[in-house]
Amino acid sequence: MELERVLREDDGELVGHLGVDRRGGADVWVAHAVFGSALRAFPDRAEAAAFLRRSGLPLLAERWWYRPADDAEWRPTVLVEARPGAVTVRFGSDPYDTVVLTGEALGRLTLTPTG
């Protein structure tokens, strides 16, 4: 999926990315975090862009969840540093238990654990 950068209008700060995805027979606009993980789907581009400008950066401060494999437990995760294509995360309260996630691992990082 090709992603389009979304910038904050007042200072040009990157707040996330937008992409089009086919779901249920219709195209939807998917808002992605700065580092690429999907956040939410919207029926049109304007709604998705407004969501990112309003919530894209504040969501980085929320607790995230990481699942290293399909059969593994979800791990509570704090984002330490986010940039396009990569994010440094900390697990639990140990400041030294950090790792940089890239590529497919970013798809295992979410705001809400499922299944």
mmCIF file of all heavy atoms in Angstrom, residues 3 11 18 26-27 35 37 39 46 48-49 56 60-61 65-66 69 73 78 90 93 95 102-103 107 111-113 115:
data_model
loop_
_atom_site.group_PDB
_atom_site.id
_atom_site.type_symbol
_atom_site.label_atom_id
_atom_site.label_comp_id
_atom_site.label_asym_id
_atom_site.label_seq_id
_atom_site.Cartn_x
_atom_site.Cartn_y
_atom_site.Cartn_z
ATOM 1 N N LEU A 3 1.650 4.947 0.894
ATOM 2 C CA LEU A 3 1.220 5.841 1.966
ATOM 3 C C LEU A 3 1.553 7.291 1.629
ATOM 4 O O LEU A 3 2.623 7.581 1.113
ATOM 5 C CB LEU A 3 1.880 5.449 3.293
ATOM 6 C CG LEU A 3 1.504 4.088 3.852
ATOM 7 C CD1 LEU A 3 2.242 3.839 5.161
ATOM 8 C CD2 LEU A 3 0.008 3.956 4.058
ATOM 9 N N ASP A 11 2.867 23.999 11.290
ATOM 10 C CA ASP A 11 4.333 23.947 11.338
ATOM 11 C C ASP A 11 4.974 22.869 10.454
ATOM 12 O O ASP A 11 6.186 22.707 10.463
ATOM 13 C CB ASP A 11 4.815 23.780 12.786
ATOM 14 C CG ASP A 11 4.373 22.467 13.408
ATOM 15 O OD1 ASP A 11 3.704 21.657 12.719
ATOM 16 O OD2 ASP A 11 4.681 22.254 14.589
ATOM 17 N N LEU A 18 -1.560 8.397 5.290
ATOM 18 C CA LEU A 18 -2.850 7.896 4.812
ATOM 19 C C LEU A 18 -2.614 6.881 3.713
ATOM 20 O O LEU A 18 -1.693 7.027 2.904
ATOM 21 C CB LEU A 18 -3.703 9.024 4.234
ATOM 22 C CG LEU A 18 -4.222 10.082 5.179
ATOM 23 C CD1 LEU A 18 -4.999 11.139 4.395
ATOM 24 C CD2 LEU A 18 -5.103 9.461 6.241
ATOM 25 N N ALA A 26 -15.394 -2.116 -0.607
ATOM 26 C CA ALA A 26 -15.324 -0.660 -0.778
ATOM 27 C C ALA A 26 -13.941 -0.160 -0.380
ATOM 28 O O ALA A 26 -13.256 -0.780 0.424
ATOM 29 C CB ALA A 26 -16.382 0.028 0.083
ATOM 30 N N ASP A 27 -13.553 0.956 -0.985
ATOM 31 C CA ASP A 27 -12.290 1.584 -0.608
ATOM 32 C C ASP A 27 -12.496 2.397 0.668
ATOM 33 O O ASP A 27 -13.506 3.090 0.812
ATOM 34 C CB ASP A 27 -11.792 2.516 -1.712
ATOM 35 C CG ASP A 27 -11.253 1.762 -2.915
ATOM 36 O OD1 ASP A 27 -10.938 0.568 -2.776
ATOM 37 O OD2 ASP A 27 -11.145 2.367 -3.993
ATOM 38 N N PHE A 35 5.068 5.959 12.285
ATOM 39 C CA PHE A 35 5.955 4.843 11.964
ATOM 40 C C PHE A 35 5.309 3.810 11.051
ATOM 41 O O PHE A 35 5.964 2.884 10.603
ATOM 42 C CB PHE A 35 6.484 4.175 13.241
ATOM 43 C CG PHE A 35 5.415 3.836 14.232
ATOM 44 C CD1 PHE A 35 4.748 2.630 14.175
ATOM 45 C CD2 PHE A 35 5.079 4.736 15.224
ATOM 46 C CE1 PHE A 35 3.755 2.324 15.086
ATOM 47 C CE2 PHE A 35 4.103 4.440 16.149
ATOM 48 C CZ PHE A 35 3.429 3.227 16.084
ATOM 49 N N SER A 37 2.090 1.919 11.552
ATOM 50 C CA SER A 37 1.020 1.037 12.026
ATOM 51 C C SER A 37 -0.346 1.661 11.768
ATOM 52 O O SER A 37 -0.532 2.866 11.960
ATOM 53 C CB SER A 37 1.173 0.745 13.520
ATOM 54 O OG SER A 37 2.263 -0.101 13.755
ATOM 55 N N LEU A 39 -4.053 2.847 12.330
ATOM 56 C CA LEU A 39 -4.773 3.357 13.501
ATOM 57 C C LEU A 39 -6.278 3.160 13.366
ATOM 58 O O LEU A 39 -6.896 2.547 14.214
ATOM 59 C CB LEU A 39 -4.468 4.845 13.711
ATOM 60 C CG LEU A 39 -3.027 5.203 14.033
ATOM 61 C CD1 LEU A 39 -2.833 6.714 14.002
ATOM 62 C CD2 LEU A 39 -2.646 4.636 15.393
ATOM 63 N N ALA A 46 -10.718 13.209 3.761
ATOM 64 C CA ALA A 46 -10.752 14.397 4.626
ATOM 65 C C ALA A 46 -10.913 14.012 6.102
ATOM 66 O O ALA A 46 -10.242 14.585 6.967
ATOM 67 C CB ALA A 46 -11.866 15.341 4.186
ATOM 68 N N ALA A 48 -10.052 11.152 7.518
ATOM 69 C CA ALA A 48 -8.828 10.473 7.957
ATOM 70 C C ALA A 48 -7.713 11.476 8.218
ATOM 71 O O ALA A 48 -6.998 11.386 9.226
ATOM 72 C CB ALA A 48 -8.393 9.446 6.911
ATOM 73 N N ALA A 49 -7.562 12.462 7.334
ATOM 74 C CA ALA A 49 -6.526 13.479 7.509
ATOM 75 C C ALA A 49 -6.805 14.333 8.749
ATOM 76 O O ALA A 49 -5.897 14.655 9.515
ATOM 77 C CB ALA A 49 -6.425 14.352 6.258
ATOM 78 N N GLY A 56 -2.987 12.199 15.706
ATOM 79 C CA GLY A 56 -1.834 11.406 15.287
ATOM 80 C C GLY A 56 -0.673 11.450 16.259
ATOM 81 O O GLY A 56 -0.134 10.413 16.644
ATOM 82 N N LEU A 60 0.667 8.789 20.152
ATOM 83 C CA LEU A 60 1.990 8.203 20.397
ATOM 84 C C LEU A 60 2.297 8.110 21.889
ATOM 85 O O LEU A 60 3.116 7.294 22.305
ATOM 86 C CB LEU A 60 3.076 9.024 19.680
ATOM 87 C CG LEU A 60 2.968 9.102 18.164
ATOM 88 C CD1 LEU A 60 4.084 9.982 17.608
ATOM 89 C CD2 LEU A 60 2.962 7.733 17.520
ATOM 90 N N ALA A 61 1.642 8.930 22.698
ATOM 91 C CA ALA A 61 1.872 8.930 24.146
ATOM 92 C C ALA A 61 1.017 7.886 24.874
ATOM 93 O O ALA A 61 1.220 7.653 26.058
ATOM 94 C CB ALA A 61 1.586 10.314 24.721
ATOM 95 N N TRP A 65 0.281 -1.927 22.498
ATOM 96 C CA TRP A 65 0.405 -3.364 22.764
ATOM 97 C C TRP A 65 1.169 -4.008 21.623
ATOM 98 O O TRP A 65 0.940 -3.697 20.460
ATOM 99 C CB TRP A 65 -0.973 -4.000 22.912
ATOM 100 C CG TRP A 65 -1.702 -3.457 24.094
ATOM 101 C CD1 TRP A 65 -2.487 -2.335 24.145
ATOM 102 C CD2 TRP A 65 -1.675 -3.982 25.422
ATOM 103 N NE1 TRP A 65 -2.949 -2.132 25.417
ATOM 104 C CE2 TRP A 65 -2.476 -3.133 26.217
ATOM 105 C CE3 TRP A 65 -1.061 -5.090 26.003
ATOM 106 C CZ2 TRP A 65 -2.671 -3.362 27.572
ATOM 107 C CZ3 TRP A 65 -1.268 -5.324 27.351
ATOM 108 C CH2 TRP A 65 -2.060 -4.464 28.117
ATOM 109 N N TYR A 66 2.059 -4.919 21.985
ATOM 110 C CA TYR A 66 2.879 -5.617 20.988
ATOM 111 C C TYR A 66 2.744 -7.116 21.199
ATOM 112 O O TYR A 66 2.806 -7.608 22.327
ATOM 113 C CB TYR A 66 4.347 -5.206 21.120
ATOM 114 C CG TYR A 66 5.244 -5.911 20.142
ATOM 115 C CD1 TYR A 66 5.150 -5.638 18.779
ATOM 116 C CD2 TYR A 66 6.159 -6.857 20.566
ATOM 117 C CE1 TYR A 66 5.963 -6.289 17.862
ATOM 118 C CE2 TYR A 66 6.981 -7.513 19.664
ATOM 119 C CZ TYR A 66 6.873 -7.225 18.305
ATOM 120 O OH TYR A 66 7.674 -7.878 17.399
ATOM 121 N N ALA A 69 4.414 -12.803 18.297
ATOM 122 C CA ALA A 69 4.011 -13.913 17.423
ATOM 123 C C ALA A 69 2.533 -14.177 17.647
ATOM 124 O O ALA A 69 1.966 -13.799 18.676
ATOM 125 C CB ALA A 69 4.830 -15.165 17.744
ATOM 126 N N GLU A 73 1.618 -13.862 24.057
ATOM 127 C CA GLU A 73 0.796 -12.931 24.833
ATOM 128 C C GLU A 73 1.069 -11.498 24.373
ATOM 129 O O GLU A 73 2.180 -11.166 23.964
ATOM 130 C CB GLU A 73 1.133 -13.046 26.320
ATOM 131 C CG GLU A 73 0.759 -14.377 26.936
ATOM 132 C CD GLU A 73 -0.748 -14.565 27.027
ATOM 133 O OE1 GLU A 73 -1.450 -13.583 27.359
ATOM 134 O OE2 GLU A 73 -1.206 -15.687 26.749
ATOM 135 N N VAL A 78 5.411 0.963 25.642
ATOM 136 C CA VAL A 78 5.510 2.421 25.617
ATOM 137 C C VAL A 78 6.404 2.802 24.445
ATOM 138 O O VAL A 78 7.478 2.229 24.267
ATOM 139 C CB VAL A 78 6.114 2.953 26.945
ATOM 140 C CG1 VAL A 78 6.346 4.451 26.866
ATOM 141 C CG2 VAL A 78 5.229 2.585 28.117
ATOM 142 N N ARG A 90 9.516 0.400 24.625
ATOM 143 C CA ARG A 90 9.944 -0.143 25.919
ATOM 144 C C ARG A 90 8.823 -1.043 26.422
ATOM 145 O O ARG A 90 7.651 -0.700 26.357
ATOM 146 C CB ARG A 90 10.183 0.984 26.921
ATOM 147 C CG ARG A 90 10.704 0.467 28.269
ATOM 148 C CD ARG A 90 10.961 1.586 29.260
ATOM 149 N NE ARG A 90 9.681 2.062 29.768
ATOM 150 C CZ ARG A 90 9.326 3.331 29.841
ATOM 151 N NH1 ARG A 90 10.144 4.286 29.442
ATOM 152 N NH2 ARG A 90 8.152 3.676 30.317
ATOM 153 N N SER A 93 8.238 -1.607 32.802
ATOM 154 C CA SER A 93 8.820 -0.429 33.434
ATOM 155 C C SER A 93 10.344 -0.402 33.391
ATOM 156 O O SER A 93 10.953 0.550 33.852
ATOM 157 C CB SER A 93 8.353 -0.344 34.890
ATOM 158 O OG SER A 93 8.752 -1.509 35.587
ATOM 159 N N PRO A 95 13.637 0.529 32.005
ATOM 160 C CA PRO A 95 14.081 1.474 30.974
ATOM 161 C C PRO A 95 15.091 0.862 29.993
ATOM 162 O O PRO A 95 15.344 1.429 28.938
ATOM 163 C CB PRO A 95 14.705 2.625 31.767
ATOM 164 C CG PRO A 95 15.065 2.025 33.077
ATOM 165 C CD PRO A 95 14.070 0.927 33.336
ATOM 166 N N THR A 102 10.758 -2.663 13.221
ATOM 167 C CA THR A 102 10.702 -2.233 11.824
ATOM 168 C C THR A 102 9.958 -3.302 11.026
ATOM 169 O O THR A 102 9.663 -4.383 11.531
ATOM 170 C CB THR A 102 12.110 -2.050 11.226
ATOM 171 O OG1 THR A 102 12.799 -3.293 11.283
ATOM 172 C CG2 THR A 102 12.899 -0.975 11.956
ATOM 173 N N GLY A 103 9.701 -3.018 9.774
ATOM 174 C CA GLY A 103 9.120 -3.995 8.856
ATOM 175 C C GLY A 103 7.842 -4.626 9.369
ATOM 176 O O GLY A 103 6.954 -3.960 9.880
ATOM 177 N N GLY A 107 3.398 -4.245 12.186
ATOM 178 C CA GLY A 107 2.030 -4.721 12.069
ATOM 179 C C GLY A 107 1.558 -5.450 13.316
ATOM 180 O O GLY A 107 0.364 -5.728 13.469
ATOM 181 N N LEU A 111 -2.871 -0.173 19.253
ATOM 182 C CA LEU A 111 -3.416 0.512 20.430
ATOM 183 C C LEU A 111 -4.358 -0.384 21.226
ATOM 184 O O LEU A 111 -4.487 -0.229 22.431
ATOM 185 C CB LEU A 111 -4.185 1.772 19.999
ATOM 186 C CG LEU A 111 -3.321 2.987 19.676
ATOM 187 C CD1 LEU A 111 -4.129 4.039 18.957
ATOM 188 C CD2 LEU A 111 -2.704 3.545 20.933
ATOM 189 N N THR A 112 -4.996 -1.329 20.574
ATOM 190 C CA THR A 112 -5.973 -2.196 21.223
ATOM 191 C C THR A 112 -5.668 -3.647 20.879
ATOM 192 O O THR A 112 -5.766 -4.029 19.713
ATOM 193 C CB THR A 112 -7.402 -1.854 20.760
ATOM 194 O OG1 THR A 112 -7.628 -0.459 20.944
ATOM 195 C CG2 THR A 112 -8.428 -2.632 21.541
ATOM 196 N N PRO A 113 -5.288 -4.461 21.866
ATOM 197 C CA PRO A 113 -5.006 -5.870 21.571
ATOM 198 C C PRO A 113 -6.286 -6.608 21.148
ATOM 199 O O PRO A 113 -7.370 -6.314 21.647
ATOM 200 C CB PRO A 113 -4.451 -6.417 22.880
ATOM 201 C CG PRO A 113 -4.969 -5.512 23.928
ATOM 202 C CD PRO A 113 -5.156 -4.168 23.287
ATOM 203 N N GLY A 115 -7.941 -10.620 19.864
ATOM 204 C CA GLY A 115 -7.788 -12.075 19.857
ATOM 205 C C GLY A 115 -6.845 -12.558 20.822
ATOM 206 O O GLY A 115 -6.076 -13.327 20.971
#
